Amino acid sequence: MSVHVPSVSVNYAQTGKSAKANELGMRPMQERAYDRRGEQYLLIKSPPASGKSRALMFIALDKLHNQGLKQVIITVPEKSIGSSFNDEPLSQYGFWADWSVVPKWNLCNAPGEDGGKVNSVRAFLDSDDRVLVCPHATFRFAVERFGIEAFDDRLIAVDEFHHVSAGEDNKLGAQIGQFIARDKVHLVAMTGSFFRGDGVPVLAPTDEARFETVTYTYYEQLNGYEYLKALDIGYFFYTDSYTDHIMKVLDPVLKTIVHIPSVNSRESLKDKIREVEHILFGLGDWQGIDPVTGFQLIKAPDGRLLKVADLVDDDSAKRDRVISSLKDPAHKNNRDHVDIIIALGMAKEGFDWIWCEHALTVGYRSSLTEIVQIIGRATRDAKGKTRARFTNLIAQPDAADEAVNEAVNDTLKAIAASLLMEQVLAPRYTFVPKASQSGPQEGFDYGEGGYDPKRCNVGFNEETAQFQIEIKGLNAPKSKEAARICQEDLNEVITAFVQDKTALERGLFDPETVPEDLTVVRMGKIIKDRYPELDAEDQEAVRQHAIAALNLTQQAKALVVENEELRASSNTALIDGVRKFAVDVRELDIDMIDRINPFGEARAILAKTMSEDSLKQVEAIIGAKRVSLTLEEARELANRALTFKKERGRLPSLTSADAWEKRMAEGVAFLQRKAAEAKNG
């Protein structure tokens, strides 16, 4: 048994903006970053294929020639990514200098272990050359050996910055903190996903506040493509062995990267070679191996000769030949060079195959970050490529299976990844309190009928890819930091929320959950833990903004799925969905938004993809772990009860028909019982 239902389907306008260069040869994201080139600490958040590497080249050249810095050190997580910073004749496209790296200073290409390359870093620091490229590990070792001060007056650029964290055991994160404290270097941090799979913050709040942020959203990137028009993301539940079902979703007509599960995972058959062979035989009749490329040759049932790159093979010589063939620049623009890539730990972060139309992943990967990176392999723009998709094959939880809890966890993680991608693929939200003096903003389209002062309005600015939405009762952020979070970091807040196991379990599988337990209590806790330096009013403002962004995206998606007319509106479907939701509810009110279960639409999709028996089994497993209240939750509920009393002149009632009022009363009663127990000791 297996069922596949796309959970996300987003259409884009094909404006071509993403690829259009200005007079200096800069694409939109690069121009936006270059405008901030004078900042000492710069954080660039931008999706795969948006041109972060070249943006850094422009900024680095300016810092060397116009800002008095001695040298540039670029550090990357994997050696393969080092090639992104190879020589570029930027002057041919209008810039005032070319980018050049002396070959011996690209340590990603140098032989030997990372630790052994530290002496090369010292030699570079003592030289008159200007640019060094090295792996993260080499950089960490060099900082440990030579000290922070050895890098004074230099630009340090950290690619794939999500590898850094504020955690105590992250050496690179600690070193970045030391550089900021000494304040003698310039830092450029670049990432396509400014969050980590383990939920640990990338930077400490005090350090993050030092950075000027340049954000280029997925929506801006994909909406500005010339060819790619739609992206589908979905999960596919199967029973028994994945190899019995993979051909139902592996369409050999599509250029596909298949990631088979780790040998230690539940989905693995514990024989990766046999798993690859099963996929190869499922594609057709094996014809041999191409002696030049090392690709497996398969004759498909329709007569086509498929070229399959096997990156799972343990024979390093064979695998290296295949890798070399995939990287051959002579074939970068040749769509027919390879048809399918089968990988296990490779072909993810930094891997560039513009023709990839389908990223097919078996089992949940190690983190949300990895999922985002894999999806990024399919979202490159290429001629003739109008649609891309990501499919996650997941083993359906079975109560009879000893590993049922692991299966449930994998399901929760896959749904979290889906929810997160829905959020990052949407336009940016700006929320404003609805007030009597509210009025239309220049540059925003308010849909048919225009701005209506009698209701909450939804405006959209196509140029900035940004919503402006009026919400009654919304708290506006007071401090500069809270305003920055509401403008720049809502996706990071939502990431932490959808990764919260308690929130996911309750929202998806506990029908008795009161939505405000999630939107107010759980999200409130996440905000307080993440931003303890904010006062209570600003914490509440951030909470409201984050929940509004998440719930509006979910409700708009649901309306698009249900409404054929909205689906037909193509690239404006999500925008029209948000507007329709605002009209349908008549008045966007923060209390109403808080009463929506953020996981309700994901649950509806689960009900279609999982068998009824499996869904009930999972609900029973979650129900068995249910805890009525924790002390921390009761305190939060009691605080909300006090606000309730101020507004209504009475405390919440345990007998109220309103579930949220009753829940607040339960929190008060819980604390009263605890106090009585302590007194009677």
Side-chain angles (χ1 to χ4, degrees):
M1 177 268 186
S2 54
V3 184
H4 175 256
V5 177
S7 62
V8 191
S9 189
V10 188
N11 294 301
Y12 295 94
Q14 296 173 298
T15 66
K17 284 184 181 178
S18 297
K20 290 179 181 175
N22 66 8
E23 66 279 2
L24 293 176
M26 299 175 188
R27 287 154 53 190
M29 186 284 289
Q30 296 160 351
E31 182 178 4
R32 190 176 297 176
Y34 190 68
D35 285 344
R36 296 287 184 273
R37 63 190 180 277
E39 299 292 335
Q40 182 178 357
Y41 301 110
L42 188 62
L43 172 61
I44 301 174
K45 301 180 186 179
S46 185
S50 57
K52 291 189 290 293
S53 301
R54 187 166 290 200
L56 175 61
M57 295 177 190
F58 293 128
I59 293 168
L61 286 167
D62 189 84
K63 286 188 178 293
L64 288 172
H65 292 276
N66 299 323
Q67 298 182 40
L69 295 189
K70 296 177 181 177
Q71 294 175 315
V72 173
I73 299 171
I74 301 169
T75 180
V76 299
E78 295 180 16
K79 295 176 184 177
S80 60
I81 301 176
S83 61
S84 300
F85 299 97
N86 286 344
D87 292 2
E88 287 289 349
L90 301 179
S91 62
Q92 290 184 15
Y93 308 101
F95 198 59
W96 45 264
D98 289 329
W99 176 258
S100 179
V101 181
V102 176
K104 71 175 180 177
W105 299 133
N106 190 335
L107 302 186
C108 293
N109 298 330
E113 298 297 321
D114 290 324
K117 299 175 184 177
V118 173
N119 290 334
S120 296
V121 176
R122 177 77 267 177
F124 170 77
L125 294 172
D126 293 337
S127 76
D128 294 327
D129 288 320
R130 312 302 296 272
V131 183
L132 175 85
V133 182
C134 70
H136 283 179
T138 300
F139 181 74
R140 290 197 312 269
F141 290 135
V143 174
E144 285 180 353
R145 183 180 298 182
F146 308 128
I148 297 293
E149 60 279 359
F151 298 84
D152 285 356
D153 303 318
R154 292 169 172 84
L155 169 64
I156 296 170
V158 184
D159 197 15
E160 307 295 356
F161 196 62
H162 52 269
H163 286 264
V164 172
S165 93
E168 293 180 1
D169 58 347
N170 189 286
K171 290 183 179 179
L172 183 55
Q175 291 169 345
I176 294 297
Q178 291 168 20
F179 279 119
I180 294 172
R182 183 169 170 79
D183 206 28
K184 298 283 189 179
V185 300
H186 286 215
L187 282 170
V188 174
M190 303 182 296
T191 180
S193 51
F194 191 66
F195 51 82
R196 291 171 54 86
D198 55 14
V200 178
V202 175
L203 284 171
T206 51
D207 289 341
E208 186 174 347
R210 302 285 298 275
F211 281 80
E212 177 73 19
T213 301
V214 173
T215 301
Y216 192 67
T217 66
Y218 263 87
Y219 182 89
E220 289 179 280
Q221 172 71 358
L222 272 65
N223 200 55
Y225 275 164
E226 185 176 357
Y227 305 106
L228 186 63
K229 184 178 180 180
L231 173 63
D232 299 322
I233 299 174
Y235 30 87
F236 178 104
F237 287 98
Y238 67 87
T239 55
D240 305 318
S241 168
Y242 85 84
T243 53
D244 295 335
H245 298 275
I246 193 168
M247 296 312 300
K248 297 173 184 175
V249 288
L250 175 52
D251 183 351
V253 173
L254 300 177
K255 300 293 184 182
T256 303
I257 298 177
V258 180
H259 281 102
I260 67 171
S262 162
V263 292
N264 297 319
S265 72
R266 185 172 47 89
E267 292 86 358
S268 173
L269 305 183
K270 311 307 177 189
D271 187 340
K272 61 183 182 181
I273 304 303
R274 184 162 64 91
E275 292 172 41
V276 172
E277 290 174 347
H278 191 104
I279 296 171
L280 294 175
F281 292 141
L283 290 168
D285 297 325
W286 187 71
Q287 303 293 304
I289 298 177
D290 186 302
V292 177
T293 63
F295 296 161
Q296 305 281 339
L297 303 176
I298 309 289
K299 187 175 183 181
D302 63 3
R304 292 184 307 125
L305 187 66
L306 299 175
K307 287 160 277 189
V308 182
D310 177 8
L311 296 178
V312 182
D313 198 319
D314 282 327
D315 187 321
S316 59
K318 291 181 181 178
R319 191 174 64 247
D320 288 347
R321 180 169 52 169
V322 171
I323 292 171
S324 178
S325 299
L326 290 173
K327 288 184 175 181
D328 188 344
H331 294 290
K332 181 178 181 180
N333 296 318
N334 179 7
R335 187 181 189 279
D336 298 323
H337 181 52
V338 65
D339 297 292
I340 295 171
I341 298 172
I342 304 176
L344 199 161
M346 304 179 72
K348 292 182 290 190
E349 188 173 73
F351 183 79
D352 191 9
W353 181 32
I354 63 171
W355 304 108
C356 177
E357 299 167 282
H358 188 192
L360 172 55
T361 299
V362 182
Y364 183 74
R365 308 310 289 186
S366 64
S367 70
L368 273 178
T369 305
E370 187 176 348
I371 292 289
V372 172
Q373 290 291 340
I374 290 174
I375 292 172
R377 301 317 100 201
T379 56
R380 263 65 174 171
D381 201 28
K383 189 174 183 179
K385 175 179 164 181
T386 60
R387 196 168 200 101
R389 68 180 64 168
F390 168 75
T391 304
N392 196 181
L393 270 71
I394 309 165
Q396 184 163 276
D398 182 354
D401 187 347
E402 291 182 1
V404 64
N405 285 326
E406 184 181 345
V408 171
N409 286 339
D410 284 352
T411 301
L412 294 174
K413 291 173 183 176
I415 293 167
S418 176
L419 289 167
L420 174 62
M421 286 310 301
E422 289 169 18
Q423 208 61 44
V424 300
L425 291 168
R428 187 188 299 199
Y429 290 97
T430 297
F431 300 108
V432 294
K434 177 63 176 177
S436 57
Q437 67 270 25
S438 297
Q441 299 296 308
E442 185 177 349
F444 285 85
D445 172 20
Y446 292 92
E448 188 176 346
Y451 186 89
D452 183 352
K454 295 180 181 179
R455 63 177 176 87
C456 291
N457 291 270
V458 175
F460 186 72
N461 187 318
E462 184 64 44
E463 186 66 28
T464 61
Q466 183 174 346
F467 279 114
Q468 188 193 62
I469 301 175
E470 296 175 341
I471 299 177
K472 187 178 179 182
L474 180 78
N475 286 11
K478 297 186 307 175
S479 69
K480 183 178 179 181
E481 175 63 6
R484 184 197 68 77
I485 294 166
C486 290
Q487 184 65 23
E488 300 286 349
D489 284 359
L490 288 187
N491 283 347
E492 283 72 43
V493 174
I494 291 169
T495 299
F497 180 69
V498 301
Q499 285 183 289
D500 184 86
K501 190 177 176 184
T502 300
L504 268 173
E505 288 181 344
R506 290 182 182 178
L508 286 168
F509 298 118
D510 187 351
E512 296 180 15
T513 292
V514 178
E516 289 94 334
D517 264 349
L518 308 174
T519 59
V520 177
V521 179
R522 293 305 299 180
M523 179 63 94
K525 179 182 185 306
I526 287 168
I527 300 299
K528 288 176 181 176
D529 290 347
R530 189 177 181 90
Y531 304 111
E533 73 284 358
L534 297 182
D535 67 21
E537 288 185 47
D538 271 342
Q539 288 175 344
E540 176 64 4
V542 172
R543 185 200 68 77
Q544 291 179 1
H545 281 68
I547 283 298
L550 177 56
N551 270 343
L552 284 175
T553 299
Q554 290 300 303
Q555 296 304 304
K557 179 193 75 171
L559 286 172
V560 171
V561 170
E562 295 167 2
N563 191 305
E564 187 174 343
E565 185 179 338
L566 284 178
R567 290 199 302 275
S569 64
S570 185
N571 57 287
T572 63
L574 182 65
I575 299 165
D576 294 340
V578 173
R579 284 192 176 128
K580 179 169 173 48
F581 176 68
V583 171
D584 287 353
V585 300
R586 294 176 179 260
E587 192 80 275
L588 280 177
D589 181 278
I590 192 62
D591 291 336
M592 178 273 295
I593 291 171
D594 277 340
R595 287 195 292 270
I596 299 171
N597 178 355
F599 305 108
E601 299 311 316
R603 179 183 169 82
I605 291 171
L606 272 184
K608 297 175 184 176
T609 56
M610 289 176 68
S611 70
E612 186 177 353
D613 285 345
S614 290
L615 196 56
K616 287 180 178 178
Q617 289 170 358
V618 174
E619 286 179 352
I621 291 167
I622 300 301
K625 297 192 296 181
R626 186 186 301 139
V627 177
S628 59
L629 268 180
T630 66
L631 184 59
E632 188 174 16
E633 288 171 341
R635 285 173 176 155
E636 177 61 27
L637 289 167
N639 286 334
R640 298 285 170 176
L642 291 174
T643 302
F644 180 95
K645 183 180 180 182
K646 287 179 184 177
E647 294 172 350
R648 307 198 187 186
R650 64 174 178 85
L651 282 170
S653 171
L654 283 168
T655 59
S656 174
D658 182 86
W660 176 230
E661 180 180 344
K662 183 179 178 181
R663 188 63 169 164
M664 287 187 283
E666 289 172 350
V668 174
F670 181 95
L671 290 182
Q672 288 172 339
R673 287 197 305 272
K674 288 292 183 184
E677 290 170 5
K679 185 177 180 180
N680 297 330

